[in-house]
Amino acid sequence: MGEAIVITSGKGGVGKTTTTANIGTGLALMDKKVCLIDTDIGLRNLDVVMGLENRIIYDIVDVIEERCKLKQALIKDKRFDYLSLLPAAQTSDKSAVTEEGMRKIVGELKQEYDYVIIDCPAGIEQGFKNAIAGADKAIVVTTPEKSSVRDADRIVGLLEQESIDPPLLVINRIRNHMMKNGDMIEIDDIVQILSIDLIGIVVDDDDVIKASNSGEPVALQPNSKASIAYRNIARRILGETVPLQSLEDEKGVFQKVKKFLGIRA
Amino acid sequence: MLDKKQFITIKGTKEGLTLFVDDSCTFEHALNELREKIHASRPKHDEPVVSVKVKLGNRYVQEEQKEILRKIIAEDERFTIDSIVSDVVRRDEALQWQEASEVKTVNRIIRSGQMLEVTGDLLLIGDVNPGGKVVSTGNIYIMGRLNGIAHAGINGDKQAFITASYMKPSQLRIADYISRAPDYESDGVYMECGLIDEEQDKIVIDRLQVLSHKSEISGFGRRMQNG
Ligand SMILES: Nc1ncnc2c1ncn2[C@@H]1O[C@H](COP(=O)(O)OP(=O)(O)O)[C@@H](O)[C@H]1O
Ligand SMILES: [Mg+2]
């Protein structure tokens, strides 16, 4: 029986889809069976980031409305045998998806896969409720920006009311020079406000954008900083103790990060 | 007239009259006698208006009954009513008072978009995050960081105050007073309290020590006295 993890944030554009694609890829690289679900109905793009767009025949709404079997809607990844994607619908009515429908799909996928990673839409409306309905765990993504942290806090509050494990935190798009100048909220301030366990930090890296444009998740690259960061998150999900990367060889930043070395995954 | 028992005794004081209403007769009886007594001792129209305190002893009166008392006494506008005091409270009122003076302890983080509301004093063990809000009818004690909004004395208690281990609130509210954080980025303060400064007629933030100079009366005593 696998585990379902929802990737959520409240705010849009902070990196949920990128995180979903790369954690999924990272887990697949470690020979796990992984299924990604895009629940952002009407604004699907996990398929684009994964480079699987033109293979879509059926989508999640087709499954829910029983126009096809779940298996038929799953798209097998180009690179890994046991990485699949259940794409969002692009045109259908959003209200087709329900919490009950999601629970059923996720439950069924967990029979087959080690990890089901659910990409959540922005906001706290029905789409959010659907995305978390079948999840066992949650990862909250934020950037080091006040508004993003505020929305993450709202989401953590909502998740705490659900029967779901305490969420884990990913801080994405950290920019070294801004951290150094004090123009961004610092990592330990973010962790202090949200008071949840940090499972990874990812720098802002042009390679992420390049990778997403070419449909090859950055986690496939051997050496880019973001790639290593995402693969480390995947390893922590598997229970390994992996220290946080130093963002650069800057003493100041490194010392801030060091406090979180004893991380729980 | 025979020497029948007097149910209402009137005492003159510097401030005016005190009416003691015996609690052993029926309310009707008391009213009849009150009408007579008031009529007899009413000041003339060229004399100043007299203030009256009514003491009811162990008699419980409903709000409507108090209204009748007021009507009789204030008729002709020769008397004004200072207070109507009974020595007994109803059980449910007593319970309400008790609730209003209890300290409710809550152990969690109040996150963005969340609100925690209690009757009585609030002891929060945990932070109030930016965008979060705590509200109480009494005082608010936060063992943690106050980064959001705290509203003490929501029903109008201006004596209520707010304390926190670390204060950097976006707003402090006490009764119907509001103060907000400055527009520039500022540091928070440790172990301080927010309270209404009556001279300045606004909310101020001060060291916790100033609370020891505040009236010693607990919330309960305060509520008893205010009825
Ligand atoms: N670590 C990163 N470095 C650089 N760009 C990033 C990073 N993470 C995300 N992005 C970019 O930010 C944009 C929004 O990311 P996305 O994953 O689509 O956010 P969401 O799904 O939360 O709306 C995309 O253009 C993506 O390529
Ligand atoms: Mg997205």
Side-chain angles (χ1 to χ4, degrees):
Chain A
M1 186 77 165
E3 189 174 72
I5 306 175
V6 61
I7 313 293
T8 178
S9 71
K11 194 170 155 71
V14 299
K16 291 178 293 295
T17 301
T18 307
T19 304
T20 305
N22 284 294
I23 288 179
T25 304
L27 288 167
L29 277 167
M30 283 176 285
D31 297 326
K32 295 295 163 193
K33 297 183 185 175
V34 183
C35 184
L36 311 178
I37 306 182
D38 188 348
T39 65
D40 201 347
I41 312 293
L43 288 172
R44 81 171 170 217
N45 48 28
L46 185 54
D47 52 313
V48 180
V49 175
M50 295 298 293
L52 300 172
E53 186 183 11
N54 48 26
R55 303 178 188 212
I56 296 177
I57 298 168
Y58 296 111
D59 58 47
I60 191 166
V61 172
D62 292 323
V63 176
I64 285 178
E65 296 186 337
E66 296 182 347
R67 282 189 287 273
C68 70
K69 296 239 166 55
L70 176 56
K71 281 225 169 78
Q72 290 177 285
L74 296 179
I75 301 163
K76 201 173 80 59
D77 186 70
K78 311 180 219 176
R79 295 137 297 214
F80 300 94
D81 284 338
Y82 288 107
L83 177 59
S84 306
L85 167 70
L86 177 57
Q90 191 61 303
T91 47
S92 327
D93 179 15
K94 272 193 194 186
S95 61
V97 184
T98 59
E99 292 169 53
E100 205 33 60
M102 277 303 294
R103 257 182 233 117
K104 190 155 165 272
I105 290 177
V106 173
E108 218 171 299
L109 289 171
K110 274 163 58 177
Q111 307 288 335
E112 192 84 10
Y113 292 88
D114 299 319
Y115 289 95
V116 178
I117 316 285
I118 305 161
D119 184 14
C120 179
I124 55 174
E125 315 303 328
Q126 192 57 43
F128 165 74
K129 290 180 190 151
N130 291 340
I132 66 171
D136 307 302
K137 288 190 173 169
I139 289 179
V140 173
V141 183
T142 185
T143 60
E145 226 185 306
K146 246 188 190 173
S147 59
S148 167
V149 175
R150 188 74 64 92
D151 288 357
D153 194 39
R154 180 95 178 90
I155 290 295
V156 173
L158 293 173
L159 289 169
E160 281 171 348
Q161 290 162 21
E162 304 292 325
S163 54
I164 196 170
D165 289 354
L168 298 164
L169 178 65
V170 168
I171 306 176
N172 189 24
R173 307 204 74 163
I174 296 172
R175 275 179 269 182
N176 294 321
H177 62 282
M178 290 184 78
M179 280 278 166
K180 221 166 47 193
N181 300 339
D183 293 329
M184 275 189 165
I185 322 183
E186 294 189 20
I187 292 167
D188 44 358
D189 289 340
I190 298 172
V191 174
Q192 187 181 53
I193 286 185
L194 297 178
S195 355
I196 57 176
D197 286 333
L198 186 62
I199 193 172
I201 54 174
V202 185
V203 291
D204 193 86
D205 186 343
D206 289 345
D207 285 344
V208 172
I209 295 167
K210 283 185 223 157
S212 123
N213 285 337
S214 61
E216 297 278 328
V218 75
L220 293 168
Q221 296 177 12
N223 289 322
S224 88
K225 280 204 183 284
S227 167
I228 295 168
Y230 282 122
R231 279 183 278 135
N232 282 347
I233 294 172
R235 289 165 63 192
R236 293 186 192 110
I237 289 174
L238 295 178
E240 280 183 51
T241 309
V242 189
L244 291 180
Q245 283 170 286
S246 68
L247 299 177
E248 227 165 53
D249 305 314
E250 304 277 353
K251 265 258 169 54
V253 180
F254 185 58
Q255 268 159 358
K256 295 244 157 56
V257 172
K258 247 185 359 190
K259 290 186 195 157
F260 305 109
L261 290 188
I263 204 162
R264 259 199 306 131
Chain B
M1 211 194 271
L2 282 175
D3 187 23
K4 81 172 178 197
K5 188 176 180 320
Q6 297 279 308
F7 290 118
I8 294 183
T9 332
I10 302 184
K11 264 197 188 144
T13 65
K14 280 203 295 287
E15 290 91 38
L17 296 182
T18 305
L19 287 179
F20 294 91
V21 180
D22 192 289
D23 53 37
S24 65
C25 68
T26 66
F27 190 63
E28 288 310 313
H29 243 99
L31 286 184
N32 286 337
E33 197 179 320
L34 181 68
R35 283 198 191 92
E36 283 169 29
K37 292 248 153 103
I38 284 290
H39 197 77
S41 48
R42 185 183 311 174
K44 304 251 157 37
H45 276 274
D46 49 353
E47 289 169 353
V49 174
V50 173
S51 154
V52 177
K53 284 193 172 82
V54 182
K55 302 221 164 169
L56 296 168
N58 291 331
R59 180 193 297 276
Y60 181 79
V61 295
Q62 310 273 357
E63 218 23 74
E64 306 87 72
Q65 295 178 311
K66 278 192 189 169
E67 209 34 62
I68 298 175
L69 289 173
R70 285 197 192 96
K71 250 207 179 124
I72 293 174
I73 297 167
E75 207 180 29
D76 279 356
E77 296 169 357
R78 302 314 304 150
F79 292 108
T80 60
I81 298 183
D82 175 73
S83 60
I84 300 178
V85 181
S86 163
D87 292 341
V88 289
V89 289
R90 274 192 7 221
R91 192 186 166 77
D92 59 343
E93 279 174 357
L95 288 174
Q96 258 175 29
W97 285 0
Q98 190 196 14
E99 190 184 22
S101 52
E102 268 170 3
V103 179
K104 306 276 173 357
T105 306
V106 176
N107 197 339
R108 59 177 256 227
I109 299 173
I110 309 303
R111 298 183 181 276
S112 177
Q114 295 181 332
M115 164 146 114
L116 171 66
E117 203 169 358
V118 306
T119 304
D121 293 343
L122 167 65
L123 170 59
L124 176 70
I125 303 174
D127 298 343
V128 181
N129 279 355
K133 186 174 176 186
V134 287
V135 174
S136 83
T137 59
N139 302 327
I140 297 176
Y141 313 95
I142 299 169
M143 287 191 66
R145 304 168 164 267
L146 171 56
N147 287 316
I149 298 177
H151 191 167
I154 185 135
N155 291 339
D157 184 355
K158 292 185 189 181
Q159 298 298 315
F161 56 84
I162 299 160
T163 70
S165 316
Y166 176 79
M167 282 236 187
K168 198 186 165 202
S170 62
Q171 279 184 11
L172 285 184
R173 303 186 189 176
I174 297 172
D176 51 0
Y177 288 66
I178 298 180
S179 71
R180 64 168 177 82
D183 287 327
Y184 50 88
E185 188 64 24
S186 61
D187 285 340
V189 290
Y190 289 88
M191 301 298 284
E192 301 227 330
C193 62
L195 68 170
I196 294 179
D197 181 311
E198 276 165 25
E199 271 160 36
Q200 298 182 56
D201 195 37
K202 66 172 193 180
I203 297 175
V204 296
I205 292 185
D206 210 332
R207 296 169 311 136
L208 287 181
Q209 285 85 332
V210 301
L211 292 177
S212 57
H213 305 307
K214 258 177 98 79
S215 101
E216 296 287 316
I217 305 179
S218 72
F220 187 68
R222 212 158 66 219
R223 276 159 206 126
M224 280 280 286
Q225 291 203 336
N226 299 340

